Amino acid sequence: MKIKNICCIGAGYVGGPTMAVIAQKCPDIKVTVVDLNEARIAAWNDVDFGKLPVYEPGLDEVVKEARGRNLFFSTDVDKAIEESEMIFISVNTPTKMYGAGKGMAADLKYIELCARQIARVAKSDKIVVEKSTLPVRTAEAIKSILDNTGNGVNFQILSNPEFLAEGTAVTDLHNPDRVLIGGNDAEAIQSLLEVYANWVPKDRILTTNVWSSELSKLTANAFLAQRVSSINAISELCEKTEADVNEVARAIGMDSRIGSKFLKASVGFGGSCFQKDILNLVYIAKSYGLNEVADYWEQVVIMNDHQKHRFSKNIVQTLYNTVSGKRIAMLGWAFKKDTNDTRESAAITVAQDLIAEQANVVVYDPKVSHDQIKFDLEGIEDKIKVETNPYEACNNAHAIAILTEWDEFKTYDWQKIYDSMSKPAFVFDGRNLLDKQKVKEIGFVYSAVGS
Ligand code: NAD
Ligand code: UDX
């Protein structure tokens, strides 16, 4: 079947950019992205492209090109379902915070709601595509809901996990390492494959059975996160032994069997995916009685928690074992550069730790809003100050903590910052961002992860 109308349920960090690129690359397909969240849809439709709800380099240009032509954002979910031959489910699948599997399993309530809505509304055959990250065998549950509550129309389910990373979403979508399509029906697979073939070389479109596809997404994130926890574990050993983690990463990364990516020691990984997906993997393994498998992967998250808390502990210890009443400037709040997303950001944990030690925490981030920072610290939001100017944030501070690797931090006048701070002026570099030699020459007491 040649696809002419696509509906995507969920206009978030995945649904928005993914569908914008499909619309850009497939001008003959009408793409409608729907969401229950009216404010989010209004922001996607804003005349000011600077106000799109997701900040991603280059995304405004893609939306500018396609919106109103063949890309539409709407809150009318039923209409978009009815009109389309292919429906992507791209809603959130957060960690479940209640009942069985609390704190581990994926909460599939939004997925189930989508399946029930599609079943209720669909009057013609549909291909339903799992774009959200889902536990292996979710397609079985979706199929059961669709077949048992539908109007007798035919549903095919495909798994098409998304591998984009935030901050590089547009380039990742334009030029993916691979596109993965899992399915049992050759015709349905072909329909989706033809959509991607408009811009992705065919040898990069991989087809598998549904279960392999679902499990590959969790596995990919687990492997990536494992690399970060592995290098972070070594960073602690480096700090004790005068080895330098950057040098170690470079040395091992040049081994082509290891590879150089994802070996940057940091204050800990964040983002909406890594922790959630590993915990989900752990839960699935446990549910099959595979306790050693579960424990193995859980260690990646345990190590990450340790890394985040270790960073704050080091600040307190270095500042003569007390930060009470001391001004600490945090540069960066997003979980990585080039995104306004703060979900699971290490900055949140570090701020909580420092506030618990009665520090006066001041934050500056170039893309995260004041409201978002307050929201992330719900309950203690009055204990934090947000500045819109980095020099203001650092003024009179006892210490600066770098939490996000924003490029602009490298270009600051660090002499001016030093002059405005309490002495000794400390910098805790959670991203190995600054030139160690230069900042030390200025007079800073400089401490970086892993060296
Ligand atoms: P998000 O929270 O940014 O967006 C999800 C959207 O779905 C929200 O706007 C929400 O209002 C909407 N929604 C929920 N239920 C709905 C319903 N019944 N009807 C209509 N709209 C509904 O989430 P996200 O970051 O885009 O992630 C979506 C999925 O993609 C998750 O499963 C995630 O694991 C996966 N994923 C995320 C990334 C990433 O980098 N963020 C990358 C790959 C995969
Ligand atoms: C991740 C996956 O990379 C992506 O394929 C998947 O679709 C969604 O989850 P994302 O979370 O957006 O993407 O960003 P990513 O670049 O993977 O970074 C995740 C976290 O790890 C960030 O906090 C980042 O700062 C940290 N990180 C990454 C490191 O600390 N060191 C590294 O070497 C790489």
Side-chain angles (χ1 to χ4, degrees), residues 57-115:
L59 181 61
D60 50 349
E61 290 303 317
V62 179
V63 175
K64 224 179 254 175
E65 188 181 329
R67 199 179 70 190
R69 178 188 74 184
N70 64 326
L71 174 66
F72 302 91
F73 294 93
S74 161
T75 50
D76 194 343
V77 184
D78 283 0
K79 181 159 173 273
I81 291 173
E82 225 175 323
E83 284 177 358
S84 58
E85 303 94 44
M86 182 174 271
I87 302 161
F88 286 81
I89 302 183
S90 204
V91 300
N92 38 329
T93 49
T95 302
K96 197 175 169 202
M97 293 317 283
Y98 53 88
K102 182 177 172 185
M104 284 257 161
D107 190 343
L108 298 179
K109 69 179 171 207
Y110 306 110
I111 295 287
E112 174 158 353
L113 281 172
C114 288

Side-chain angles (χ1 to χ4, degrees), residues 12-14 35 40 91-93 132-133 162 166 276 343:
Y13 282 86
V14 167
D35 205 295
R40 216 167 209 190
V91 300
N92 38 329
T93 49
S132 297
T133 302
E162 184 48 61
E166 290 179 23
K276 155 177 92 72
R343 289 176 288 181

Side-chain angles (χ1 to χ4, degrees), residues 31 44 46 66 83 95 121 127 179 245 285 298 322-323 387 401 433:
V31 180
W44 281 113
D46 205 298
E83 284 177 358
T95 302
V121 172
I127 299 171
V179 165
V245 78
E298 192 168 11
T322 175
V323 289
E387 286 287 356
L433 189 79

Side-chain angles (χ1 to χ4, degrees), residues 162-166 217 221 224 228 262-264 266 268-270 273-274 335-336 405 431:
E162 184 48 61
F163 294 102
L164 69 79
E166 290 179 23
K217 177 64 200 177
N221 275 350
L224 290 168
V228 179
F262 266 72
L263 288 179
K264 274 193 87 69
S266 66
F269 62 73
C273 294
F274 280 1
F335 78 96
K336 63 186 281 197
E405 72 282 23
R431 297 288 183 167

